[in-house]
Amino acid sequence: MQSTRSRRALGTSTTPGQDSGAAGKKPSASDTPQPASTGSTKRSLTFAIGGVVALLGVTSYTLLRQPTPADVAAQSKPAPSSTQTALESVATKHGDALKKLDGLSTKERREEAKRLGLLTAEEVNAVLHAKENSWVIEPTSGGARLRVDTNQVSSNAPIEDYLAWTPLASNASNRHMFSVFDGHAGYRCAEQLAARLGPMLDKSLDFVAQLAELKKGGKKPEVEAGDKALVKTIRQIEREAGLDWDQVPLALTATFINMDYELVAGALAEFRKQQQLMRMDELLGPAVSGSCGLVAVVDTEAKEVVVANTGDSRALLGVRLKNGSWKAVRLSQDQTADNANEVARMAREHPGEDAVIHRGRVLGGLMPTRAFGDCRYKWPLEAQQDLFPVLYSRGHRYATTPPNY
């Protein structure tokens, strides 16, 4: 995981040194490029992944959600009737195409696909704009008024990418979590992240704040049984990284680590404990699929955004310059084999395994070098041999062991 902090211009960044998100060096200002001096405080934050674009702006930074929340103002206007007509035409063409391709071999489908008619310009535009959304989040007190713009274009069905937004109650201020989860090998992992990571981050922020107060002689936090692993992770990161981490990056790192543990190792342990076949898809499906994760914690009162990333989604900060033009500043680093630092890390953590990066992918298969889920790269071989045949027979086509594992 990588986290980046931005205050008005840009602050510091830290890139943990292990795939699990374990702590790395103390942040320094030299880690992050500084944008040109601006004559305005106007910013916009853009998250971009394949099939999802979210643009955030208005006086501060901001982000997205799926579906549109009910507690915000300035909802998007309904699509015009011409757009609805074009979308109905697309749906009809799609249905007709499926009928023509049904029952054909792979080779025959490819040949038949070449004969299918193209969409009109109006139909293409309707598809591209169909899921555009825009709303405004009003401040509770002292914060900035935020406008959020999102769009999604599905390349498969069901769509594997999720957007999530939640207000964070941990400091009772104008703090929000915005995120995109770029799923792969199915939708289940991204779906779980969109539902569960926000509440876990809220808890993590609260525990980090309580532990900071404890060091000053405050009250020891009360930890429920289900949260002990999260608190243990926070304490472990503090020991490994020192006690000078800011609270938000610490909470994000602990949340990413603990969330992946729950999805992959925790789910495996729970299934083995229960041995209920009827719960196999529910428990292990999110582990078989995978997802990148890009999360921003936006504090409109402090005028600050902290971005955490695992995978190859990307966050950009748009800075308006004095001449009125805009400059894009990257707030995250793609974690793929195109990143020399990631290749070096993989080689360092897997000495003697020449195939760990093969054909530009992890073991020749996975493009991002860090991701949630993807148990085929994380479960012990014995567990894969035991469970993958059953999972594959139940429709999880990525329940296969990679070569050279």
Side-chain angles (χ1 to χ4, degrees):
M1 188 200 85
Q2 176 200 62
S3 69
T4 302
R5 173 180 294 272
S6 175
R7 184 188 295 274
R8 292 190 180 272
L10 282 181
T12 60
S13 69
T14 176
T15 303
Q18 295 186 358
D19 198 12
S20 63
K25 65 179 181 178
K26 179 182 176 181
S28 66
S30 62
D31 290 334
T32 304
Q34 301 294 319
S37 174
T38 71
S40 167
T41 60
K42 187 173 180 66
R43 305 283 190 275
S44 73
L45 177 64
T46 301
F47 280 14
I49 62 176
V52 177
V53 174
L55 177 63
L56 318 145
V58 183
T59 313
S60 192
Y61 326 91
T62 311
L63 199 12
L64 42 152
R65 164 167 185 168
Q66 172 188 351
T68 303
D71 55 342
V72 295
Q75 298 286 353
S76 298
K77 297 179 181 179
S81 58
S82 58
T83 299
Q84 292 296 336
T85 300
L87 289 174
E88 290 171 3
S89 175
V90 171
T92 299
K93 289 183 177 180
H94 181 251
D96 293 342
L98 290 178
K99 291 178 182 178
K100 291 181 179 180
L101 299 176
D102 185 41
L104 300 181
S105 66
T106 300
K107 183 178 180 180
E108 290 171 335
R109 288 168 67 92
R110 288 174 180 168
E111 291 301 316
E112 182 62 32
K114 295 177 183 178
R115 292 188 283 269
L116 295 176
L118 299 177
L119 299 181
T120 66
E122 291 78 10
E123 290 169 338
V124 171
N125 282 329
V127 171
L128 292 177
H129 293 282
K131 293 187 178 181
E132 283 184 342
N133 216 336
S134 179
W135 68 88
V136 171
I137 303 174
E138 300 290 351
T140 56
S141 63
R145 183 173 184 262
L146 301 174
R147 170 175 158 175
V148 183
D149 300 281
T150 70
N151 193 12
Q152 285 184 287
V153 179
S154 174
S155 61
N156 45 25
I159 189 170
E160 297 177 338
D161 306 326
Y162 279 74
L163 317 179
W165 165 75
T166 183
L168 297 170
S170 54
N171 68 345
S173 70
N174 292 286
R175 183 186 278 176
H176 307 266
M177 184 205 83
F178 302 97
S179 53
V180 291
F181 300 108
D182 179 7
H184 50 259
Y187 68 91
R188 292 175 182 267
C189 185
E191 179 185 57
Q192 289 295 304
L193 289 168
R196 295 164 57 185
L197 192 138
M200 183 182 289
L201 176 59
D202 217 355
K203 286 184 178 181
S204 186
L205 286 165
D206 188 42
F207 286 135
V208 167
Q210 290 186 59
L211 291 170
E213 289 300 315
L214 179 63
K215 296 182 181 70
K216 301 175 183 178
K219 181 182 176 182
K220 183 177 180 180
E222 296 181 4
V223 182
E224 297 180 1
D227 298 324
K228 287 184 177 180
L230 179 59
V231 174
K232 182 179 179 181
T233 301
I234 293 171
R235 290 185 179 277
Q236 179 183 350
I237 295 171
E238 283 190 318
R239 287 194 302 270
E240 294 178 354
L243 301 179
D244 49 4
W245 266 41
D246 287 333
Q247 292 187 14
V248 177
L250 174 58
L252 280 164
T253 303
T255 300
F256 272 47
I257 293 172
N258 211 62
M259 188 76 255
D260 189 62
Y261 174 83
E262 286 192 4
L263 290 171
V264 180
L268 176 61
E270 184 65 19
F271 178 77
R272 283 180 157 171
K273 177 182 177 182
Q274 294 187 11
Q275 291 294 322
Q276 293 184 18
L277 188 61
M278 63 189 308
R279 295 200 64 199
M280 186 177 225
D281 298 331
E282 171 195 347
L283 288 172
L284 303 184
V288 174
S289 62
S291 179
C292 300
L294 187 58
V295 177
V297 174
V298 179
D299 190 331
T300 64
E301 202 162 337
K303 297 294 190 296
E304 179 180 80
V305 58
V306 181
V307 173
N309 175 54
T310 187
D312 56 3
S313 302
R314 185 177 297 178
L316 301 173
L317 180 68
V319 181
R320 191 173 187 177
L321 306 180
K322 288 182 178 180
N323 62 7
S325 63
W326 286 81
K327 177 183 178 68
V329 180
R330 186 185 297 190
L331 295 185
S332 62
Q333 294 295 321
D334 298 352
Q335 295 163 346
T336 68
D338 291 331
N339 184 330
N341 291 332
E342 282 296 285
V343 174
R345 178 186 63 82
M346 294 290 283
R348 184 173 62 251
E349 295 178 3
H350 300 272
E353 300 180 35
D354 295 337
V356 66
I357 298 293
H358 180 58
R359 295 182 301 182
R361 295 171 178 259
V362 177
L363 296 181
L366 186 64
M367 177 66 76
T369 52
R370 312 190 195 202
F372 291 100
D374 291 315
C375 66
R376 63 200 297 255
Y377 300 96
K378 300 174 182 177
W379 277 358
L381 184 59
E382 170 269 327
Q384 297 191 27
Q385 293 172 337
D386 181 33
L387 296 172
F388 275 3
V390 182
L391 283 162
Y392 191 89
S393 71
R394 296 174 68 88
H396 300 275
R397 62 191 183 95
Y398 289 95
T400 58
T401 302
N404 304 308
Y405 188 71

